[in-house]
Amino acid sequence: MLITSCLTSPKFFTGSSSPAPSKDLKVDEKINRDYSYKKAFMPRRELLYQEITHSMPPEKISIFKSLDDWAKDNILTHLKPVEKCWQPQDFLPDPAASRDDGFHEQVKELRERAKEVPDDFFVVLVGNMITEDALPTYQTMLNTLDGVADETGSSPTSWAVWTRAWTAEEKRHGDLLNKYLYLTGRVDMSQIEKTIQYLITFGMDPGGENNPYLGFIFTSFQERATAISHGNTAKLAKKHGDLKLAQICGIIASDEKRHEAAYTKIVTKLFELDPDYTVISLAHMMRKKITMPAHLMYDGRDDHLFQHFSSVAQQLGVYTANDYADILESLLATWKVETLVGLSPEGRKAQEFVCGLPPRIRKLEERAQARTKQPPMSVPFSWIFGRQVRLL
Ligand SMILES: [Fe+2]
Ligand SMILES: [Fe+2]
């Protein structure tokens, strides 16, 4: 599958390569111990991009500083005031309801509905939930971007306000799915919790280079990807007769669409102010391929967990290689990339590259599918107590 073909999954690295021998044994032992300890909390090195930092020319920081008022009027407006937001509790059994016909009854009904939902669907739902629950990583990522980072933790700039409020809105997604899955009794919560801990420990590597041009292109793409994915799980939940779950996935998808609108608007503004550098940034990001936020996923058992999860998502039509091409196509149209004029030769080359990319992605995917006609196999997922899911 194209989305994952460029990514290998993380492995809990326990290799035994030692540092250079030292005459001082105590120092040598200490280096050895520290080195292994660090490795225990890192994904395999080859999974990460070559580290490039602060790639945006420093003079461009002033663009983001000067856009603070614009962001207040155009980006913060995509947030919902806390009092108008839904909360996870609105969709979950009420623990304060009376024992007899309240909480227990509601949990019983929830579990009855979940009984009809197949295992492969649960794998995708768990993967989506784990992706949402690694939120600390995404807030960290946004705060690595030059010119828009929240420099104090409570900075009053519009960029910082956006990042904190966006994070707070997003927090409800993982909370809701996590509590729902816990109540179903269908999934192995401790394996799921372990996967979340690994994923936050490993972080992610979207190749943003501290560069807000790259960062906002990435978030525009990703918000749309999550909207598609949650939207499709909503449709499937409905098909399996769990209307409450369909409502949960649908309400999350609608948040993602609001977020997508905000990030896409930022990039539209960048195209307006600085088309040449923005189209070059877009081409740069697409050449690297857009990394999935949970690409370093690991559960302590399956070294290829992310590929396996992605294969199930592809198989169920929740998120596919064609969606990847569709997202790019739609963003190119929104940003009117094809009609940009007055570009430098490098800019024109970037424009040509990105505009020709969606059909190329589709063709490559078709060819890859035709080439890799493998017999179907089943893979055990620890999230569902090691039960097997068939991958085509
Ligand atoms: Fe989300
Ligand atoms: Fe989102």
Side-chain angles (χ1 to χ4, degrees):
M1 185 172 69
L2 186 120
I3 305 165
T4 55
S5 61
C6 57
L7 305 164
T8 34
S9 86
K11 188 171 184 176
F12 190 68
F13 200 91
T14 51
S16 57
S17 62
S18 321
S22 158
K23 280 179 190 165
D24 184 341
L25 269 181
K26 275 184 186 162
V27 172
D28 198 32
E29 269 170 26
K30 187 181 175 309
I31 292 169
N32 235 334
R33 196 183 62 230
D34 288 352
Y35 190 48
S36 310
Y37 207 66
K38 191 175 166 192
K39 276 203 297 192
F41 296 102
M42 290 287 289
R44 287 202 315 265
R45 190 71 210 146
E46 65 268 27
L47 298 176
L48 306 177
Y49 288 118
Q50 224 177 1
E51 218 163 82
I52 300 170
T53 54
H54 305 284
S55 63
M56 181 175 72
E59 65 274 12
K60 291 195 189 288
I61 285 188
S62 63
I63 294 181
F64 292 90
K65 303 279 177 210
S66 71
L67 282 176
D68 199 73
D69 269 348
W70 174 85
K72 173 168 69 68
D73 298 332
N74 293 277
I75 300 303
L76 299 190
T77 47
H78 289 277
L79 294 166
K80 262 195 184 174
V82 175
E83 296 300 332
K84 288 191 176 162
C85 277
W86 58 265
Q87 296 299 335
Q89 189 50 58
D90 302 338
F91 300 93
L92 293 165
D94 179 6
S98 71
R99 185 187 166 85
D100 293 336
D101 58 357
F103 181 67
H104 286 191
E105 195 52 43
Q106 292 169 36
V107 172
K108 216 173 120 196
E109 284 169 15
L110 184 152
R111 290 168 83 105
E112 279 301 314
R113 287 194 303 269
K115 259 189 192 164
E116 303 305 317
V117 178
D119 273 346
D120 53 3
F121 177 85
F122 268 111
V123 165
V124 174
L125 194 63
V126 168
N128 282 359
M129 181 271 268
I130 289 167
T131 306
E132 293 286 347
D133 256 357
L135 181 62
T137 300
Y138 317 139
Q139 187 176 17
T140 302
M141 197 275 279
L142 285 169
N143 283 327
T144 65
L145 301 179
D146 292 330
V148 296
D150 181 352
E151 284 173 347
T152 65
S154 60
S155 161
T157 69
S158 302
W159 301 111
V161 170
W162 164 266
T163 295
R164 290 194 302 272
W166 171 85
T167 305
E169 284 197 1
E170 286 283 343
K171 174 83 167 63
R172 300 167 306 139
H173 302 171
D175 283 356
L176 175 53
L177 291 173
N178 192 315
K179 284 175 181 155
Y180 168 84
L181 284 162
Y182 168 81
L183 289 171
T184 64
R186 291 280 308 273
V187 294
D188 186 337
M189 284 308 294
S190 65
Q191 272 306 118
I192 291 171
E193 286 158 351
K194 210 190 257 189
T195 313
I196 295 166
Q197 187 173 356
Y198 271 121
L199 184 55
I200 297 174
T201 301
F202 289 170
M204 73 184 287
D205 188 9
E209 305 176 8
N210 310 98
N211 182 329
Y213 286 78
L214 302 180
F216 289 135
I217 288 166
F218 176 81
T219 51
S220 301
F221 197 103
Q222 271 309 333
E223 291 287 0
R224 193 170 176 89
T226 45
I228 289 171
S229 181
H230 290 302
N232 285 332
T233 51
K235 281 182 205 151
L236 280 177
K238 197 172 168 194
K239 198 178 116 195
H240 296 306
D242 193 338
L243 297 184
K244 202 72 186 214
L245 179 57
Q247 197 189 7
I248 287 173
C249 299
I251 197 90
I252 294 174
S254 70
D255 272 5
E256 310 292 16
K257 280 184 195 150
R258 261 191 307 115
H259 298 161
E260 180 206 341
Y263 286 121
T264 308
K265 208 193 259 186
I266 296 171
V267 180
T268 302
K269 190 71 183 168
L270 294 175
F271 268 112
E272 184 189 313
L273 298 175
D274 191 5
D276 209 55
Y277 190 73
T278 309
V279 76
I280 290 167
S281 300
L282 177 60
H284 182 52
M285 212 56 196
M286 295 316 299
R287 279 200 175 94
K288 292 184 189 192
K289 296 193 176 79
I290 300 286
T291 318
M292 297 296 120
H295 70 115
L296 300 178
M297 184 184 273
Y298 182 58
D299 62 351
R301 295 182 192 174
D302 183 356
D303 286 336
H304 304 285
L305 180 60
F306 182 72
Q307 282 105 318
H308 291 153
F309 153 64
S310 303
S311 299
V312 181
Q314 163 104 7
Q315 198 169 296
L316 296 190
V318 167
Y319 187 76
T320 67
N322 272 335
D323 288 321
Y324 187 94
D326 289 349
I327 294 171
L328 177 60
E329 208 160 47
S330 146
L331 291 174
L332 290 171
T334 305
W335 294 329
K336 301 185 172 68
V337 178
E338 211 166 354
T339 54
L340 289 174
V341 285
L343 298 173
S344 68
E346 200 190 344
R348 279 202 302 278
K349 230 169 105 186
Q351 180 187 36
E352 204 178 305
F353 169 71
V354 290
C355 289
L357 202 49
R360 274 178 55 203
I361 292 172
R362 290 197 182 94
K363 218 175 259 171
L364 281 173
E365 174 57 17
E366 270 168 36
R367 269 190 231 152
Q369 292 225 346
R371 257 202 321 270
T372 55
K373 279 268 178 269
Q374 286 165 349
M377 63 168 193
S378 290
V379 173
F381 281 89
S382 71
W383 305 334
I384 49 169
F385 303 98
R387 288 194 297 272
Q388 306 260 339
V389 170
R390 220 171 122 96
L391 304 180
L392 295 178

